[in-house]
Each structure stands twice: as C-alpha cells, then as structure tokens.
Amino acid sequence: MCKSFIKTIIFSIFMVIIGSSELYAQAPIKFEVSFKEPQAHYVEVQMEIKDVSKDYIDVKMPVWAPGSYLVREFSKNVEGFRAKTVSGGELGVQKMTKNTWRITTGKEKTVLVNYRVYAFEVSVRTSFVDASHAFLSPTGIFMYPDGQVKRPAEVTIKPFKTWSRVSTGLTPVDQKQFTYTATDFDVLFDSPIEVGNQDVFNFTAAGVNHEVAMYGGGNYDKERLSADMAKIVESATAVFGENPNEHYVFIVHNYQSGGGGLEHLNSTVLGASRFAYGTENGYKSFLSLVAHEYFHLWNIKRLRPVTLGPFDYDKENYTTDLWIGEGFTAYYDNLLVRRAGFYTEDAYLQLLASDIAAVENRPGNLVQPLSESSFDAWIKYYRQDENSVNSIVSYYNKGALMAMMMDLKILKATNGEKGLDDVMKAAYNEFYKKRAKGFTDQEFKSIAEKVAGISLDDVYEMVNSASSPDYNKYLQLVGAELSDLNKGYEIPDLGIKTTISDGKLTVQNVYRGSGAWEGGLNVKDELIGINGYRIDIAGKELERTIQASKIEDVVKILVARDGVLKELDIKLGTNKSGKYLIKFIDNPLPEQSKLKDKWLH
C-alpha cells in the first residue's frame, strides 16, 4: 500500500473523527418547562445535558437581561436545585458562586437538572407567573453549561391545564407541540415566552408575518391596531431598506397602569394600560412604544456597539454608546409615528420640546456627559435615587436630541439628499451585514461623517461634555424655532419637590443650586411650618407663601427630621424651569422648507 494512499486514509479517518466530534459537541441542551403551582408563582424547569466529558460540570444562570443594563441577580429566585442521572441516581451539587452550581458527574455522560424559579415581578424584563398566565423572561429562567453558550437548545413548554397558547419568537419543532429550538443560548436568552390564553392576532407588513399576543384585556381594536402597527413597521423598514425577519412577535401585557418595553431579536415585550387605547394620546403613545422597540430590531439587536455582543452574562457589559443605541431609537420612535401619518407637524415638534424640557430642567444635564451616562447606566440610570435629578442625564432624551441635531446638520450639508436615515443604513450594512461585528465610538463617527461629507465634531463635543446645546442653531436649518415661555419671568422658588408620605408632607427632591440646597433642607424632611404658620398636608400654604414672596426673601421653614424639630432660614431663588415650545417660523426660506419636508417626509 503506497504512502500517499495511507496518508489519504489517515486524513479521511481524522476528518470523520473531527466531524463526529463537532456533531458530538452540538447535541442540544433540552429543557422542559411546566407549572405545577402557577397560583404560587413558580416555574418548574428540567434541564438535560448530554455529552458530558468531565468529572464535573458547572451550570450558570445569567445575572442580567440584554437590553436592560442592570445586574438583577436572577439566581436569587432559584430553589431546589438538584442533579441526577438518567436512571434517577442523585449527583453531588455544590454552589460555587451566586449564579453557579457545580455538579459532580463521575463518568455519567448525561445529566438531568431540576430546579424551580419564583416569578412574581411585573416588568418587561422579569418573569411573572400567576393562575392566569406565565411570562418567561429567558435569562431568569434558563441556565447554561459554563463555556457552552454556543450550544443549541430545545425547549418544551407544558402549559398549565387551563392554558392553551404559547407565543414566542423561537423556532417551532415540527410534529412536537409547544417545542422550540434555538441555535444557541444567545438566541434562547433573546426570546421571551408568553404562555396562557392570550388574545392573538396577526398582520403582514414589509413581507414579514407579525403576531400580536395580548394579555390582560383592554379596549383595543384589533383591526385598527393591525393596520396602524403595519404602518409603523413599514416606516421603520424603509430606513434600512430591508427587514431581516420572517416572523416577529409582539407580546403585550395590558395592566391597569402599564408601560415600558424590551427589545429582542425577532420579538418584543410591551407594557400598556389596558384602557388607554381609547384615548388619542394613549393610543399614539402606544404606537410610539411599538416604533421604539421595533426600531431596535436593527439598532442594538443587529447594529450595535462592539461590547454589546457576544455577551458576558456574568457581569456588566460596558459601552459609552447607549446614546446611539437607545437615544437614536428614542428619536426615531416619534419620528416614525409622524412619518406614518399619526402626528401633525406641530404635535411632533411638541414631542421634541418635551425631550428638551426633560433635559434642560434637570440639573444633572450640566454634571454628567452623555457618554458617561451610557457607561454608568449599570450603577446610575437603573439605580436612581433622590439625588439623581442633580447628578445624571438620560441617554434616552438627550441622545434623541443629539440624533435630531445630527440629522438636521446632515440634511443641510447634503442639500436634503441625505440624513440620519442614510447613516443608520450605511452603518447597518457595514457593521452587521458586511463585517458581522459591533462598532467602536470612532467607527460610528467615521461612517456618519463619510455619509455627511462633513465633520461631526460639534455633535460629539456635546456628547462628551456636560452642557446645554444651542438647539436653535440646528432647528433654524429647517425653519423651526425653540422658545422658553418662562423666559423673562422672575418667579420665586424654594427649590424642592414634595410628596405626601404616611400622611405627611415631605421633601422628595432638593434641586442643585437652589435656596433649599444652599440652606440645608434635606430629602425626607417633614414640612411642618413656614414663617410661623402651619403648612397643610397638600402644601397649598407653602405654595401661596412662596408665590407672595420676592426673590432673595428669607423664609423660615420648620421641619421634623428624624423626630427632631429644626427651623431653617432659606433664601428664595429664581425658578429656573423652562417651558419650551417649538414652532415653524412664518416665512421660511425656500431652502428651509425643502429641508423640513425631507426631514419629516
């Protein structure tokens, strides 16, 4: 037998071994999810791990949910973690860290894991189970073998006996009821699951089938929502020129008072107020929420900062670019609703004015740069306290305003030929489709400047400094003007926000630089008297006294602080809150009118 033939045989055997090894490593992790006691808010999970090759295996649960930048410690809800062999023999388990369990496997090749999860937190990012339904936020339900996030997974849902539906973006398995697959755990963790008797309807838009799963009832009109949500989908798809999904799921939780949303790869979870659909503002606000989370389908889920994927589920994943990921999306949510025909030009301008008010009436705007706000979301934005108004700025509101200014500047520079839409599309094509990677700060700036044909240093200077932008410098490019209706009025102000707590009028916030700040009023102080007179619980006497005073007058405030009475001398300052209005000017130049039409379509 010749040497070359022997080499060929050896190579073939080697390739078979390698191929078998790869196939061996790809055996899916299987989960079975059931609900023995939904009324007590528990989820039962069984996990099957095949192809175990070591004497032990570490099983982990994520500590956070992508899209919500806070370590939530999901493992705190886990109970009764046990491991056994296929034949039922118990295996040793040791808790190694807050979210890691080590299973001693011996020579067992297949390990079965059982645990329960307590799920009773209402939000779009946490799991909730009761007798009526189950919402499974995957990072708080499913565990993964350490180092094996890229293994495929299979999930079988066993609904409670009175439930009949499952809604999820996961791929269904043929001939297996309520069984779904995920190519890896990144996909599984990005696919929320609704189980119960939700009201489901469908519509097609941008060539994609969309499922809407409504829980909690409400006065929504399915036909109207189908038509109007389709318009939002078409408006968003038009920005990028393509829709990357074949199937998309909206999971909508309707509560007495609900809100918020969380984006996923081919689905989203929305919180809504069940009877707000019947009001014009409530309905349009819901459409804006739909637009926001749907726009994330591209921006964040595919076009993303480099550190946001692949994810480290054990700890924070930092980026300075949430002002792009969330702020730009917050800009587009109302803009898409306007483009779809639901907001008038004036109504849209007032939404922009509301963003300006949210930024400018917050002292933290002059303390925290926008890029720092993004980076510190994990410890500041998602953990706000009584002083947050003085120390941080929202990367949603201010990021949206950066997007607006960048959009208008590019429109001006290109004579209306290009705008922020073109930047987003170019970045999506470059980083997601061509290079399959996230972008760095400089890479996004470079591609934006390439599209614009000009420098965007002025925008990035505003991002990296704590300052108030010159909004009119950009708004005037499209014939719009911002004004402060409070400008010129000298209104005396104490500098606090109050609340009623346990039947007492107390200080909720003290604003930086105000008389209360300088004079030593504290959050949680109970307000008892002013200038020798008792303050009523509604605070009307306090309000009337301040209004009747002059700026720089000194008022005597009697407070109870931790049971101790104190009288403080507070010098009144000027109310610095702005009341903002944006309007188009009466006689715009032809160029301004042209750019305005390009901007608002």
Side-chain angles (χ1 to χ4, degrees):
M1 188 178 289
C2 67
K3 290 184 179 180
S4 62
F5 182 72
I6 293 173
K7 287 181 179 179
T8 301
I9 292 295
I10 293 173
F11 178 77
S12 298
I13 293 172
F14 176 76
M15 292 305 294
V16 168
I17 292 172
I18 293 296
S20 299
S21 176
E22 290 175 349
L23 182 64
Y24 186 77
Q26 292 301 307
I29 306 296
K30 292 186 177 181
F31 294 91
E32 181 180 287
V33 180
S34 58
F35 309 91
K36 293 180 181 178
E37 296 180 298
Q39 82 289 348
H41 321 299
Y42 278 95
V43 184
E44 316 291 332
V45 182
Q46 179 169 285
M47 178 183 187
E48 179 188 81
I49 309 171
K50 289 187 175 181
D51 307 329
V52 178
S53 58
K54 297 196 303 182
D55 289 339
Y56 71 88
I57 186 168
D58 288 342
V59 176
K60 305 175 75 72
M61 176 168 274
V63 302
W64 68 289
S68 180
Y69 307 101
L70 174 68
V71 171
R72 297 183 182 275
E73 310 292 18
F74 293 121
S75 58
K76 70 181 184 292
N77 296 317
V78 174
E79 298 178 12
F81 187 100
R82 297 175 60 195
K84 60 183 179 180
T85 66
V86 174
S87 60
E90 291 287 333
L91 295 174
V93 174
Q94 182 181 1
K95 188 79 176 285
M96 304 299 292
T97 68
K98 63 183 180 181
N99 67 322
T100 307
W101 289 260
R102 176 163 292 179
I103 303 168
T104 302
T105 62
K107 298 184 181 300
E108 294 293 330
K109 300 300 181 184
T110 299
V111 173
L112 298 179
V113 178
N114 290 87
Y115 57 91
R116 310 179 82 199
V117 179
Y118 181 71
F120 196 56
E121 183 178 350
V122 175
S123 82
V124 296
R125 61 193 69 84
T126 51
S127 299
F128 180 91
V129 178
D130 67 8
S132 65
H133 81 129
F135 169 63
L136 307 180
S137 182
T139 47
I141 298 294
F142 300 109
M143 299 190 186
Y144 64 97
D146 189 23
Q148 299 183 43
V149 169
K150 290 304 176 183
R151 280 184 72 166
E154 181 178 292
V155 177
T156 297
I157 305 293
K158 293 197 168 183
F160 188 60
K161 60 185 178 182
T162 58
W163 303 344
S164 60
R165 291 183 183 274
V166 175
S167 297
T168 180
L170 290 169
T171 302
V173 176
D174 291 339
Q175 309 302 317
K176 289 186 178 181
Q177 187 180 35
F178 302 142
T179 299
Y180 307 88
T181 62
T183 53
D184 55 38
F185 277 80
D186 287 323
V187 173
L188 176 60
F189 290 150
D190 212 11
S191 303
I193 303 169
E194 176 71 20
V195 190
N197 299 307
Q198 56 271 24
D199 184 16
V200 175
F201 61 94
N202 298 80
F203 66 88
T204 299
V208 177
N209 176 49
H210 293 76
E211 174 186 340
V212 183
M214 289 280 196
Y215 164 78
N219 60 347
Y220 55 87
D221 181 325
K222 287 188 278 190
E223 289 187 9
R224 183 187 182 194
L225 272 180
S226 294
D228 292 347
M229 290 171 73
K231 292 177 183 178
I232 301 300
V233 169
E234 297 284 359
S235 293
T237 303
V239 174
F240 296 92
E242 68 172 26
N243 196 307
N245 287 323
E246 295 181 359
H247 177 230
Y248 190 92
V249 179
F250 293 93
I251 298 173
V252 185
H253 293 152
N254 295 301
Y255 294 106
Q256 185 177 34
S257 180
L262 187 64
E263 70 275 6
H264 297 281
L265 196 65
N266 68 339
S267 62
T268 184
V269 186
L270 308 177
S273 299
R274 64 171 57 94
F275 294 121
Y277 300 98
T279 66
E280 182 179 2
N281 287 339
Y283 187 72
K284 290 177 181 177
S285 293
F286 178 75
L287 292 182
S288 292
L289 178 61
V290 168
H292 184 99
E293 302 306 334
Y294 201 83
F295 196 79
H296 273 315
L297 186 161
W298 296 272
N299 192 31
I300 281 291
K301 298 317 301 181
R302 290 167 175 83
L303 171 63
R304 57 175 176 77
V306 68
T307 53
L308 295 186
F311 297 114
D312 185 336
Y313 295 104
D314 271 346
K315 61 184 181 181
E316 298 87 345
N317 293 218
Y318 293 102
T319 176
T320 56
D321 288 324
L322 289 181
W323 67 277
I324 297 174
E326 290 293 352
F328 279 31
T329 303
Y331 170 64
Y332 271 101
D333 54 25
N334 288 325
L335 183 59
L336 293 176
V337 177
R338 158 61 199 163
R339 289 177 179 177
F342 297 105
Y343 285 129
T344 65
E345 288 182 353
D346 287 341
Y348 175 67
L349 291 182
Q350 286 319 111
L351 292 171
L352 285 177
S354 295
D355 277 331
I356 292 173
V359 171
E360 296 301 320
N361 291 336
R362 191 178 183 99
N365 177 45
L366 301 179
V367 175
Q368 186 186 50
L370 195 49
S371 54
E372 182 183 300
S373 173
S374 299
F375 193 86
D376 280 346
W378 299 88
I379 58 171
K380 292 189 176 182
Y381 187 82
Y382 278 92
R383 285 197 172 110
Q384 295 194 35
D385 58 25
E386 67 282 348
N387 193 50
S388 293
V389 67
N390 296 311
S391 61
I392 71 172
V393 68
S394 168
Y395 49 76
Y396 285 91
N397 300 119
K398 196 166 185 177
L401 296 173
M402 295 299 109
M404 176 197 73
M405 290 184 280
M406 188 182 291
D407 197 4
L408 299 184
K409 181 171 183 175
I410 295 171
L411 283 167
K412 170 66 174 178
T414 61
N415 195 29
E417 294 301 315
K418 293 181 180 179
L420 190 60
D421 286 13
D422 300 278
V423 172
M424 301 306 289
K425 184 176 181 179
Y428 171 76
N429 288 334
E430 177 68 20
F431 299 113
Y432 173 68
K433 296 185 68 178
K434 181 180 176 181
R435 299 169 65 179
K437 64 178 288 293
F439 58 79
T440 64
D441 294 6
Q442 186 56 47
E443 285 174 333
F444 189 89
K445 181 174 185 286
S446 295
I447 201 166
E449 291 179 330
K450 182 178 179 181
V451 170
I454 56 170
S455 169
L456 295 173
D457 285 349
D458 57 334
V459 176
Y460 275 79
E461 174 62 28
M462 289 184 283
V463 168
N464 293 312
S465 63
S467 60
S468 291
D470 180 357
Y471 300 103
N472 277 325
K473 173 183 176 182
Y474 301 88
L475 287 170
Q476 62 88 21
L477 300 176
V478 291
E481 185 177 56
L482 172 71
S483 59
D484 178 2
L485 301 182
N486 284 346
K487 188 174 182 180
Y489 289 94
E490 297 290 319
I491 304 172
D493 183 51
L494 191 59
I496 62 173
K497 181 179 180 181
T498 62
T499 187
I500 298 173
S501 177
D502 295 329
K504 302 173 183 178
L505 183 67
T506 61
V507 178
Q508 182 174 337
N509 301 103
V510 178
Y511 292 98
R512 184 186 296 271
S514 67
W517 176 281
E518 300 293 340
L521 264 178
N522 286 186
V523 169
K524 297 183 181 179
D525 280 353
E526 179 189 356
L527 298 168
I528 297 175
I530 181 168
N531 291 341
Y533 291 91
R534 176 77 182 182
I535 297 174
D536 61 293
I537 192 172
K540 295 298 183 182
E541 192 67 27
L542 175 67
E543 183 180 336
R544 283 190 289 265
T545 303
I546 299 299
Q547 289 177 347
S549 302
K550 297 178 181 179
I551 294 169
E552 296 194 352
D553 279 356
V554 175
V555 295
K556 293 184 178 294
I557 304 291
L558 180 65
V559 303
R561 182 181 299 167
D562 191 31
V564 178
L565 294 178
K566 294 179 177 291
E567 188 172 62
L568 304 171
D569 291 337
I570 307 295
K571 181 186 289 187
L572 297 180
T574 304
N575 189 330
K576 298 178 182 179
S577 295
K579 185 178 180 181
Y580 296 99
L581 176 70
I582 303 177
K583 295 184 70 174
F584 287 116
I585 61 178
D586 291 334
N587 298 300
L589 298 172
E591 181 186 25
Q592 291 173 317
S593 295
K594 175 185 175 181
L595 296 183
K596 182 196 80 169
D597 292 341
K598 289 285 187 179
W599 177 38
L600 299 181
H601 288 198

